[in-house]
């Protein structure tokens, strides 16, 4: 009884105009067939402390500072405090949503009514995987999906074997991964940059437990959505909007035309990761294979599609948004709650590159995998469900 959504007709379709801005504020010609995506609006930010406590504060927010030229990205590698790989739990995002609800309640509004017209809730990383699926040639993914009070909730399904694998990556690959975090440290400070020109430098040893997250609302076609994600830093100050958000990335230095298509393919993921949370700027630190920072390039997120158009390795964001809205429509059509609310009903969407997605309800053995002995209803922590019963 599994259902399939094929990719077959997606890649061959003629493409509407690439999205260069969020409508309707766009001054760019907007194709009548284009799928609109509303500019994300920040609702709440929160922080994870070094001991991985979730706090409703901006204690883990960083300010952007220019990194020192030629920085050694291996710096501090042996002092890296690594957050262990974990299941792709949605709990932190649910805590954020509950906080938004309790703030509403304090103002005399209902804590859950605002969620009635929200079609889906997801971490940004999951949405990035969904939207970039038409161009994904290598990595499959699996999602658990539940329907609660008319809202779809997504959680990445990461098997125990996959977690073990991620915790045991070879040292060489682990150093490459560290370069990204160490670049973040070189680019950030816990204070706004000194207008007299603070000397750039190391922002502090890397602790990947510490994260600053933003919860935003947006809309893809006619589906309102709540998306949460980590934000690397802000320029100058945080004014409650996403307008000063900055995403930091590292990439191997481009040495010639042969390297360009590979970088342009990477830009697809950079683009959607930032676009989905309204992050307007991406700063890429190019590095040598051994982790020496060479150059810095700033990208305006909304201009990236235009930069890659008509190039080898190019992609069309409208095709991704079209696929994404079809995927959500497919889920709305097929994902249902159980007849009685006593039984959790989890659906599993499995993506196979270059093929498509299959959707099936999980049987009890599958449910056990995600319940994991905790006080849960499917993948929801019980306290979240109780908030809806009250
Ligand atoms: P880079 O971005 O420079 O690759 P993010 O870019 O999302 O802020 O993530 C910060 C860093 O975490 C990345 O740096 C990379 O080193 C690591 N990272 C994030 N996602 C990863 C993934 N799927 N696999 C391996 N490393 C990842
Ligand atoms: Mg990040
Ligand atoms: Mg980053």
């Amino acid at each position: 009884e599994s259902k399939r959504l094929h990719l077959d007709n997606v890649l061959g379709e003629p493409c509407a105009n690439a999205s260069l801005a969020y409508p309707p504020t766009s001054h760019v010609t907007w194709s009548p067939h284009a799928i609109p995506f509303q500019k994300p609006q920040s609702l709440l930010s929160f922080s994870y402390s070094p001991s991985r406590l979730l706090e409703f504060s901006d204690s883990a927010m960083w300010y952007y500072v220019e990194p020192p030229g030629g920085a050694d990205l291996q710096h501090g590698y042996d002092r890296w405090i690594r957050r262990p790989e974990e299941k792709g739990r949605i709990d932190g995002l649910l805590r954020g949503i509950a906080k938004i609800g309790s703030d509403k309640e304090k103002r005399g509004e209902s804590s859950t009514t605002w969620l009635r017209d929200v079609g889906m809730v997801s971490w940004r990383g999951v949405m990035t995987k969904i939207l970039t699926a038409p161009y994904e040639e290598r990595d499959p993914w699996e999602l658990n999906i539940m329907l609660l009070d008319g809202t779809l909730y997504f959680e990445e399904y990461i098997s125990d074997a996959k977690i073990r694998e991620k915790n045991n990556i070879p040292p060489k690959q682990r150093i490459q991964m560290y370069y990204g975090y160490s670049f973040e440290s070189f680019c950030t400070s816990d204070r706004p940059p000194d207008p007299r020109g603070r000397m750039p430098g190391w922002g502090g040893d890397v602790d990947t437990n510490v994260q600053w997250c933003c919860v935003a609302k947006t809309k893809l076609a006619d589906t309102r959505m709540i998306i949460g994600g980590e934000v690397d830093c802000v320029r100058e100050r945080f004014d409650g909007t996403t307008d000063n958000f900055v995403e930091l990335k590292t990439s191997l230095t481009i040495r010639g035309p042969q390297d360009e298509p590979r970088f342009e393919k990477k830009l697809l993921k950079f683009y959607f990761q930032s676009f989905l949370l309204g992050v307007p700027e991406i700063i890429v630190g190019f590095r040598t294979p051994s982790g020496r920072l060479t150059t810095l390039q700033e990208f305006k997120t909304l201009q990236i599609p235009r930069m890659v158009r008509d190039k080898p390795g190019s992609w069309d964001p409208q095709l991704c948004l079209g696929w994404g809205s079809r995927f959500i429509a497919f889920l709305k059509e097929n994902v249902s709650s159980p007849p009685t609310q006593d039984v959790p009903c989890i659906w599993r969407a499995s993506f196979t590159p270059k093929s498509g997605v299959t959707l099936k309800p999980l049987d009890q053995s599958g449910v056990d995998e995600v319940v994991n002995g905790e006080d849960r209803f499917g993948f929801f922590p019980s306290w979240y469900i109780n908030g809806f019963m009250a």
Side-chain angles (χ1 to χ4, degrees):
E1 49 174 325
S2 67
K3 298 268 170 35
R4 282 192 56 77
L5 181 64
H6 290 277
L7 272 172
D8 297 358
N9 299 322
V10 174
L11 283 172
E13 273 175 14
C15 301
N17 277 355
S19 64
L20 299 174
Y22 303 105
T25 47
S26 163
H27 299 291
V28 176
T29 316
W30 195 253
S31 153
H33 305 296
I35 310 283
F37 186 89
Q38 200 176 71
K39 186 181 178 199
Q41 199 183 324
S42 165
L43 299 176
L44 177 82
S45 53
F46 60 82
S47 297
Y48 285 105
S49 73
S51 54
R52 205 56 194 163
L53 283 176
L54 191 158
E55 299 165 353
F56 293 110
S57 77
D58 297 323
S59 61
M61 188 187 88
W62 297 94
Y63 297 91
Y64 176 73
V65 292
E66 197 166 308
D72 173 15
L73 299 179
Q74 284 197 36
H75 182 77
Y77 178 62
D78 50 345
R79 297 188 301 276
W80 176 17
I81 301 175
R82 250 182 340 117
R83 172 163 62 102
E85 294 295 339
E86 51 192 35
K87 294 261 178 191
R89 291 266 187 242
I90 199 175
D91 295 35
L93 182 52
L94 299 182
R95 295 267 309 272
I97 288 172
K99 167 72 171 153
I100 294 165
S102 72
D103 288 349
K104 285 187 185 288
E105 212 161 32
K106 279 181 205 142
R107 296 195 300 265
E109 297 168 44
S110 152
S111 63
T112 54
T113 306
W114 66 287
L115 283 169
R116 291 258 160 86
D117 55 33
V118 171
M120 57 148 280
V121 169
S122 167
W123 284 118
R124 177 263 313 272
V126 171
M127 266 317 274
T128 305
K129 286 187 178 178
I130 293 170
L131 292 184
T132 58
Y135 295 106
E136 180 58 53
E137 295 186 324
R138 195 186 60 183
D139 298 327
W141 45 254
E142 292 186 294
L143 301 182
N144 291 327
I145 299 161
M146 286 182 78
L147 184 67
L148 176 67
D149 208 23
T151 305
L152 292 165
Y153 291 77
F154 298 170
E155 183 174 84
E156 185 167 10
Y157 170 65
I158 307 172
S159 67
D160 292 335
K162 185 92 188 172
I163 288 182
R164 274 195 299 276
E165 187 189 312
K166 283 180 152 193
N167 274 319
N168 288 303
I169 60 166
K172 211 180 147 204
Q173 219 176 309
R174 175 158 292 161
I175 291 178
Q176 309 258 322
M177 200 170 161
Y178 178 76
Y179 294 155
Y181 296 122
S182 122
F183 178 63
E184 289 179 358
S185 181
F186 278 117
C187 286
T188 56
S189 158
D190 54 6
R191 263 156 295 178
D194 184 340
R196 289 181 307 269
R198 174 191 173 275
M199 280 307 287
W202 184 241
D205 289 347
V206 176
D207 180 345
T208 36
N209 289 294
V210 178
Q211 288 180 298
W212 186 58
C213 296
C214 172
V215 179
K217 69 169 182 182
T218 181
K219 193 176 174 189
L220 170 63
D222 53 8
T223 303
R224 288 187 197 283
M225 37 181 89
I226 302 289
I227 298 179
E230 189 195 14
V231 178
D232 289 339
C233 59
V234 297
R235 250 196 211 271
E236 313 268 342
R237 64 181 193 286
F238 175 44
D239 62 3
T241 75
T242 68
D243 293 348
N244 290 346
F245 287 2
V246 177
E247 170 61 42
L248 302 169
K249 288 283 176 197
T250 57
S251 198
L252 274 175
T253 307
I254 298 170
R255 284 152 307 172
Q258 74 282 3
D259 294 335
E260 279 176 26
R262 197 163 36 94
F263 181 68
E264 276 145 17
K265 287 202 81 169
K266 270 175 99 168
L267 281 175
L268 167 66
K269 290 195 178 157
F270 293 5
Y271 170 76
F272 271 113
Q273 179 184 16
S274 291
F275 180 79
L276 283 167
L277 216 55
V279 179
E281 186 180 14
I282 304 169
I283 298 178
V284 179
F286 289 98
R287 63 164 180 86
T288 65
S290 59
R292 183 69 61 183
L293 196 58
T294 55
T295 49
L296 215 59
Q297 193 174 353
E298 301 177 2
F299 294 87
K300 295 278 173 244
T301 305
L302 298 178
Q303 289 174 4
I304 291 176
R306 191 164 48 202
M307 293 175 55
V308 301
R309 207 184 315 175
D310 306 325
K311 291 210 178 156
S314 85
W315 40 268
D316 178 355
Q318 265 304 323
L319 185 149
C320 297
L321 293 177
W323 155 259
S325 72
R326 270 162 71 167
F327 177 70
I328 290 165
F330 167 74
L331 296 180
K332 282 182 176 170
E333 217 167 277
N334 293 295
V335 169
S336 54
S337 295
T340 72
Q341 284 292 325
D342 301 336
V343 192
C345 188
I346 301 178
W347 293 73
R348 171 75 50 83
S350 306
F351 166 71
T352 307
K354 299 193 265 191
S355 167
V357 172
T358 56
L359 180 72
K360 61 173 201 285
L362 286 188
D363 59 18
Q364 208 50 49
S365 62
V367 174
D368 280 337
E369 259 181 309
V370 292
V371 169
N372 212 15
E374 288 163 279
D375 197 10
R376 285 180 184 271
F377 182 84
F379 62 62
F380 287 115
S382 302
W383 62 262
Y384 188 74
I385 299 277
N386 296 340
F388 279 87
M389 305 305 166

